[in-house]
mmCIF file of all heavy atoms in Angstrom:
data_model
loop_
_atom_site.group_PDB
_atom_site.id
_atom_site.type_symbol
_atom_site.label_atom_id
_atom_site.label_comp_id
_atom_site.label_asym_id
_atom_site.label_seq_id
_atom_site.Cartn_x
_atom_site.Cartn_y
_atom_site.Cartn_z
ATOM 1 N N GLY A 113 1.373 -14.726 9.510
ATOM 2 C CA GLY A 113 0.639 -15.895 9.973
ATOM 3 C C GLY A 113 0.257 -15.899 11.443
ATOM 4 O O GLY A 113 -0.222 -16.915 11.954
ATOM 5 N N LEU A 114 0.456 -14.782 12.140
ATOM 6 C CA LEU A 114 0.040 -14.756 13.548
ATOM 7 C C LEU A 114 -1.481 -14.698 13.646
ATOM 8 O O LEU A 114 -2.167 -14.217 12.746
ATOM 9 C CB LEU A 114 0.643 -13.550 14.258
ATOM 10 C CG LEU A 114 2.155 -13.567 14.519
ATOM 11 C CD1 LEU A 114 2.503 -12.533 15.574
ATOM 12 C CD2 LEU A 114 2.636 -14.925 14.976
ATOM 13 N N GLY A 115 -2.005 -15.142 14.798
ATOM 14 C CA GLY A 115 -3.430 -15.071 15.062
ATOM 15 C C GLY A 115 -3.874 -13.646 15.377
ATOM 16 O O GLY A 115 -3.045 -12.728 15.467
ATOM 17 N N ALA A 116 -5.178 -13.470 15.556
ATOM 18 C CA ALA A 116 -5.742 -12.122 15.723
ATOM 19 C C ALA A 116 -5.230 -11.432 16.990
ATOM 20 O O ALA A 116 -4.829 -10.257 16.946
ATOM 21 C CB ALA A 116 -7.264 -12.208 15.763
ATOM 22 N N VAL A 117 -5.227 -12.129 18.102
ATOM 23 C CA VAL A 117 -4.812 -11.492 19.351
ATOM 24 C C VAL A 117 -3.315 -11.150 19.352
ATOM 25 O O VAL A 117 -2.942 -10.015 19.639
ATOM 26 C CB VAL A 117 -5.204 -12.352 20.579
ATOM 27 C CG1 VAL A 117 -4.660 -11.737 21.860
ATOM 28 C CG2 VAL A 117 -6.719 -12.484 20.655
ATOM 29 N N PRO A 118 -2.431 -12.109 19.011
ATOM 30 C CA PRO A 118 -1.010 -11.744 18.956
ATOM 31 C C PRO A 118 -0.722 -10.654 17.918
ATOM 32 O O PRO A 118 0.154 -9.811 18.143
ATOM 33 C CB PRO A 118 -0.309 -13.049 18.557
ATOM 34 C CG PRO A 118 -1.279 -14.125 18.787
ATOM 35 C CD PRO A 118 -2.643 -13.542 18.771
ATOM 36 N N ALA A 119 -1.444 -10.657 16.789
ATOM 37 C CA ALA A 119 -1.205 -9.626 15.764
ATOM 38 C C ALA A 119 -1.592 -8.249 16.302
ATOM 39 O O ALA A 119 -0.878 -7.260 16.077
ATOM 40 C CB ALA A 119 -1.991 -9.944 14.496
ATOM 41 N N THR A 120 -2.698 -8.181 17.017
ATOM 42 C CA THR A 120 -3.105 -6.915 17.640
ATOM 43 C C THR A 120 -2.030 -6.448 18.621
ATOM 44 O O THR A 120 -1.623 -5.282 18.634
ATOM 45 C CB THR A 120 -4.448 -7.091 18.379
ATOM 46 O OG1 THR A 120 -5.418 -7.577 17.458
ATOM 47 C CG2 THR A 120 -4.909 -5.771 18.975
ATOM 48 N N LEU A 121 -1.571 -7.393 19.434
ATOM 49 C CA LEU A 121 -0.537 -7.074 20.414
ATOM 50 C C LEU A 121 0.732 -6.568 19.737
ATOM 51 O O LEU A 121 1.371 -5.606 20.196
ATOM 52 C CB LEU A 121 -0.223 -8.335 21.218
ATOM 53 C CG LEU A 121 0.609 -8.161 22.465
ATOM 54 C CD1 LEU A 121 -0.159 -7.385 23.516
ATOM 55 C CD2 LEU A 121 0.994 -9.524 23.036
ATOM 56 N N LEU A 122 1.104 -7.186 18.628
ATOM 57 C CA LEU A 122 2.319 -6.761 17.946
ATOM 58 C C LEU A 122 2.132 -5.379 17.299
ATOM 59 O O LEU A 122 3.093 -4.611 17.182
ATOM 60 C CB LEU A 122 2.733 -7.801 16.901
ATOM 61 C CG LEU A 122 4.242 -7.948 16.723
ATOM 62 C CD1 LEU A 122 4.950 -8.230 18.032
ATOM 63 C CD2 LEU A 122 4.571 -9.053 15.738
ATOM 64 N N GLY A 123 0.897 -5.063 16.904
ATOM 65 C CA GLY A 123 0.623 -3.704 16.442
ATOM 66 C C GLY A 123 0.880 -2.695 17.559
ATOM 67 O O GLY A 123 1.500 -1.641 17.341
ATOM 68 N N VAL A 124 0.435 -3.015 18.758
ATOM 69 C CA VAL A 124 0.668 -2.135 19.904
ATOM 70 C C VAL A 124 2.162 -2.010 20.193
ATOM 71 O O VAL A 124 2.674 -0.910 20.437
ATOM 72 C CB VAL A 124 -0.090 -2.642 21.153
ATOM 73 C CG1 VAL A 124 0.239 -1.801 22.368
ATOM 74 C CG2 VAL A 124 -1.595 -2.644 20.894
ATOM 75 N N VAL A 125 2.869 -3.145 20.147
ATOM 76 C CA VAL A 125 4.316 -3.125 20.389
ATOM 77 C C VAL A 125 5.024 -2.241 19.363
ATOM 78 O O VAL A 125 5.905 -1.445 19.702
ATOM 79 C CB VAL A 125 4.894 -4.560 20.353
ATOM 80 C CG1 VAL A 125 6.413 -4.536 20.287
ATOM 81 C CG2 VAL A 125 4.433 -5.334 21.578
ATOM 82 N N THR A 126 4.624 -2.357 18.104
ATOM 83 C CA THR A 126 5.220 -1.524 17.056
ATOM 84 C C THR A 126 4.985 -0.045 17.343
ATOM 85 O O THR A 126 5.882 0.792 17.188
ATOM 86 C CB THR A 126 4.613 -1.873 15.678
ATOM 87 O OG1 THR A 126 4.719 -3.272 15.451
ATOM 88 C CG2 THR A 126 5.320 -1.117 14.564
ATOM 89 N N ALA A 127 3.762 0.273 17.786
ATOM 90 C CA ALA A 127 3.383 1.670 17.980
ATOM 91 C C ALA A 127 4.052 2.290 19.204
ATOM 92 O O ALA A 127 4.443 3.459 19.194
ATOM 93 C CB ALA A 127 1.866 1.786 18.102
ATOM 94 N N ILE A 128 4.180 1.525 20.282
ATOM 95 C CA ILE A 128 4.723 2.114 21.505
ATOM 96 C C ILE A 128 6.194 1.755 21.730
ATOM 97 O O ILE A 128 6.851 2.355 22.580
ATOM 98 C CB ILE A 128 3.909 1.731 22.764
ATOM 99 C CG1 ILE A 128 4.107 0.275 23.182
ATOM 100 C CG2 ILE A 128 2.416 2.019 22.550
ATOM 101 C CD1 ILE A 128 3.412 -0.078 24.482
ATOM 102 N N GLY A 129 6.728 0.796 20.957
ATOM 103 C CA GLY A 129 8.083 0.300 21.198
ATOM 104 C C GLY A 129 9.165 1.362 21.111
ATOM 105 O O GLY A 129 10.071 1.421 21.944
ATOM 106 N N GLY A 130 9.086 2.215 20.089
ATOM 107 C CA GLY A 130 10.109 3.237 19.922
ATOM 108 C C GLY A 130 10.116 4.215 21.087
ATOM 109 O O GLY A 130 11.177 4.585 21.596
ATOM 110 N N GLY A 131 8.928 4.614 21.521
ATOM 111 C CA GLY A 131 8.839 5.548 22.634
ATOM 112 C C GLY A 131 9.333 4.928 23.941
ATOM 113 O O GLY A 131 9.956 5.596 24.764
ATOM 114 N N VAL A 132 9.050 3.637 24.113
ATOM 115 C CA VAL A 132 9.518 2.954 25.318
ATOM 116 C C VAL A 132 11.051 2.890 25.325
ATOM 117 O O VAL A 132 11.700 3.202 26.327
ATOM 118 C CB VAL A 132 8.904 1.537 25.407
ATOM 119 C CG1 VAL A 132 9.611 0.701 26.460
ATOM 120 C CG2 VAL A 132 7.412 1.624 25.704
ATOM 121 N N LEU A 133 11.629 2.504 24.191
ATOM 122 C CA LEU A 133 13.086 2.418 24.095
ATOM 123 C C LEU A 133 13.722 3.792 24.337
ATOM 124 O O LEU A 133 14.716 3.923 25.065
ATOM 125 C CB LEU A 133 13.476 1.893 22.714
ATOM 126 C CG LEU A 133 14.953 1.600 22.476
ATOM 127 C CD1 LEU A 133 15.475 0.573 23.461
ATOM 128 C CD2 LEU A 133 15.191 1.114 21.054
ATOM 129 N N ARG A 134 13.139 4.826 23.732
ATOM 130 C CA ARG A 134 13.611 6.204 23.921
ATOM 131 C C ARG A 134 13.660 6.563 25.407
ATOM 132 O O ARG A 134 14.674 7.054 25.906
ATOM 133 C CB ARG A 134 12.648 7.148 23.190
ATOM 134 C CG ARG A 134 12.902 8.623 23.371
ATOM 135 C CD ARG A 134 11.666 9.432 22.940
ATOM 136 N NE ARG A 134 10.536 9.161 23.832
ATOM 137 C CZ ARG A 134 9.248 9.279 23.497
ATOM 138 N NH1 ARG A 134 8.907 9.633 22.295
ATOM 139 N NH2 ARG A 134 8.293 9.017 24.393
ATOM 140 N N ASP A 135 12.587 6.276 26.123
ATOM 141 C CA ASP A 135 12.517 6.671 27.525
ATOM 142 C C ASP A 135 13.423 5.822 28.413
ATOM 143 O O ASP A 135 14.014 6.321 29.375
ATOM 144 C CB ASP A 135 11.067 6.615 28.018
ATOM 145 C CG ASP A 135 10.183 7.647 27.314
ATOM 146 O OD1 ASP A 135 10.737 8.553 26.656
ATOM 147 O OD2 ASP A 135 8.955 7.557 27.416
ATOM 148 N N VAL A 136 13.548 4.527 28.076
ATOM 149 C CA VAL A 136 14.446 3.665 28.847
ATOM 150 C C VAL A 136 15.889 4.142 28.698
ATOM 151 O O VAL A 136 16.642 4.204 29.673
ATOM 152 C CB VAL A 136 14.303 2.189 28.408
ATOM 153 C CG1 VAL A 136 15.459 1.355 28.919
ATOM 154 C CG2 VAL A 136 12.985 1.616 28.911
ATOM 155 N N LEU A 137 16.280 4.514 27.476
ATOM 156 C CA LEU A 137 17.648 5.004 27.252
ATOM 157 C C LEU A 137 17.885 6.320 27.980
ATOM 158 O O LEU A 137 19.008 6.645 28.345
ATOM 159 C CB LEU A 137 17.919 5.177 25.754
ATOM 160 C CG LEU A 137 18.045 3.886 24.956
ATOM 161 C CD1 LEU A 137 18.245 4.181 23.480
ATOM 162 C CD2 LEU A 137 19.207 3.039 25.474
ATOM 163 N N ALA A 138 16.823 7.083 28.203
ATOM 164 C CA ALA A 138 16.953 8.327 28.954
ATOM 165 C C ALA A 138 16.732 8.113 30.448
ATOM 166 O O ALA A 138 16.608 9.069 31.204
ATOM 167 C CB ALA A 138 15.965 9.370 28.417
ATOM 168 N N ALA A 139 16.685 6.820 30.873
ATOM 169 C CA ALA A 139 16.533 6.463 32.283
ATOM 170 C C ALA A 139 15.267 7.050 32.888
ATOM 171 O O ALA A 139 15.244 7.492 34.030
ATOM 172 C CB ALA A 139 17.763 6.888 33.104
ATOM 173 N N GLU A 140 14.183 7.038 32.114
ATOM 174 C CA GLU A 140 12.890 7.480 32.636
ATOM 175 C C GLU A 140 11.872 6.350 32.532
ATOM 176 O O GLU A 140 11.972 5.489 31.658
ATOM 177 C CB GLU A 140 12.377 8.663 31.808
ATOM 178 C CG GLU A 140 13.289 9.861 31.844
ATOM 179 C CD GLU A 140 12.516 11.138 31.601
ATOM 180 O OE1 GLU A 140 11.525 11.096 30.870
ATOM 181 O OE2 GLU A 140 12.918 12.180 32.158
ATOM 182 N N ILE A 141 10.877 6.392 33.415
ATOM 183 C CA ILE A 141 9.757 5.469 33.250
ATOM 184 C C ILE A 141 9.028 5.868 31.971
ATOM 185 O O ILE A 141 8.672 7.019 31.802
ATOM 186 C CB ILE A 141 8.786 5.551 34.443
ATOM 187 C CG1 ILE A 141 9.473 5.055 35.709
ATOM 188 C CG2 ILE A 141 7.541 4.715 34.160
ATOM 189 C CD1 ILE A 141 8.536 4.992 36.908
ATOM 190 N N PRO A 142 8.836 4.901 31.041
ATOM 191 C CA PRO A 142 8.211 5.251 29.767
ATOM 192 C C PRO A 142 6.896 6.005 29.957
ATOM 193 O O PRO A 142 6.000 5.545 30.650
ATOM 194 C CB PRO A 142 7.996 3.885 29.106
ATOM 195 C CG PRO A 142 9.109 3.048 29.641
ATOM 196 C CD PRO A 142 9.286 3.502 31.067
ATOM 197 N N LEU A 143 6.824 7.170 29.309
ATOM 198 C CA LEU A 143 5.634 8.009 29.367
ATOM 199 C C LEU A 143 4.374 7.243 28.985
ATOM 200 O O LEU A 143 3.318 7.447 29.577
ATOM 201 C CB LEU A 143 5.789 9.173 28.372
ATOM 202 C CG LEU A 143 6.162 10.525 28.937
ATOM 203 C CD1 LEU A 143 6.187 11.545 27.824
ATOM 204 C CD2 LEU A 143 5.155 10.929 30.014
ATOM 205 N N VAL A 144 4.512 6.376 27.983
ATOM 206 C CA VAL A 144 3.323 5.710 27.459
ATOM 207 C C VAL A 144 2.711 4.771 28.488
ATOM 208 O O VAL A 144 1.577 4.337 28.328
ATOM 209 C CB VAL A 144 3.639 4.896 26.184
ATOM 210 C CG1 VAL A 144 4.351 5.776 25.178
ATOM 211 C CG2 VAL A 144 4.496 3.687 26.498
ATOM 212 N N LEU A 145 3.456 4.440 29.529
ATOM 213 C CA LEU A 145 2.892 3.584 30.569
ATOM 214 C C LEU A 145 2.087 4.401 31.574
ATOM 215 O O LEU A 145 1.428 3.850 32.437
ATOM 216 C CB LEU A 145 4.004 2.824 31.296
ATOM 217 C CG LEU A 145 4.886 1.936 30.411
ATOM 218 C CD1 LEU A 145 5.920 1.220 31.244
ATOM 219 C CD2 LEU A 145 4.040 0.929 29.657
ATOM 220 N N ARG A 146 2.136 5.721 31.464
ATOM 221 C CA ARG A 146 1.528 6.538 32.503
ATOM 222 C C ARG A 146 0.478 7.499 32.012
ATOM 223 O O ARG A 146 -0.248 8.071 32.799
ATOM 224 C CB ARG A 146 2.606 7.375 33.197
ATOM 225 C CG ARG A 146 3.834 6.609 33.541
ATOM 226 C CD ARG A 146 4.789 7.479 34.271
ATOM 227 N NE ARG A 146 4.288 7.808 35.581
ATOM 228 C CZ ARG A 146 4.988 7.722 36.698
ATOM 229 N NH1 ARG A 146 6.220 7.297 36.648
ATOM 230 N NH2 ARG A 146 4.478 8.060 37.836
ATOM 231 N N ARG A 147 0.431 7.789 30.694
ATOM 232 C CA ARG A 147 -0.285 8.978 30.330
ATOM 233 C C ARG A 147 -1.235 8.881 29.155
ATOM 234 O O ARG A 147 -0.919 8.302 28.114
ATOM 235 C CB ARG A 147 0.736 10.059 29.992
ATOM 236 C CG ARG A 147 1.461 10.570 31.214
ATOM 237 C CD ARG A 147 0.887 11.844 31.712
ATOM 238 N NE ARG A 147 1.264 12.933 30.846
ATOM 239 C CZ ARG A 147 2.376 13.640 30.923
ATOM 240 N NH1 ARG A 147 3.239 13.398 31.869
ATOM 241 N NH2 ARG A 147 2.631 14.597 30.081
ATOM 242 N N GLU A 148 -2.371 9.490 29.312
ATOM 243 C CA GLU A 148 -3.182 9.983 28.216
ATOM 244 C C GLU A 148 -3.529 8.965 27.136
ATOM 245 O O GLU A 148 -3.368 9.224 25.952
ATOM 246 C CB GLU A 148 -2.469 11.177 27.544
ATOM 247 C CG GLU A 148 -2.388 12.377 28.429
ATOM 248 C CD GLU A 148 -1.148 13.184 28.122
ATOM 249 O OE1 GLU A 148 -0.287 12.676 27.412
ATOM 250 O OE2 GLU A 148 -1.045 14.307 28.610
ATOM 251 N N ILE A 149 -4.012 7.812 27.581
ATOM 252 C CA ILE A 149 -4.695 6.935 26.635
ATOM 253 C C ILE A 149 -3.805 6.588 25.446
ATOM 254 O O ILE A 149 -4.269 6.347 24.331
ATOM 255 C CB ILE A 149 -5.981 7.639 26.089
ATOM 256 C CG1 ILE A 149 -6.765 8.276 27.225
ATOM 257 C CG2 ILE A 149 -6.864 6.688 25.330
ATOM 258 C CD1 ILE A 149 -7.576 7.316 28.039
#
Side-chain angles (χ1 to χ4, degrees):
Chain A
L114 289 197
V117 175
T120 304
L121 192 67
L122 214 54
V124 175
V125 167
T126 307
I128 72 175
V132 167
L133 186 59
R134 175 196 66 206
D135 294 346
V136 165
L137 289 177
E140 299 206 328
I141 294 185
L143 258 183
V144 308
L145 302 181
R146 315 183 69 132
R147 289 261 286 274
E148 293 150 348
I149 314 282

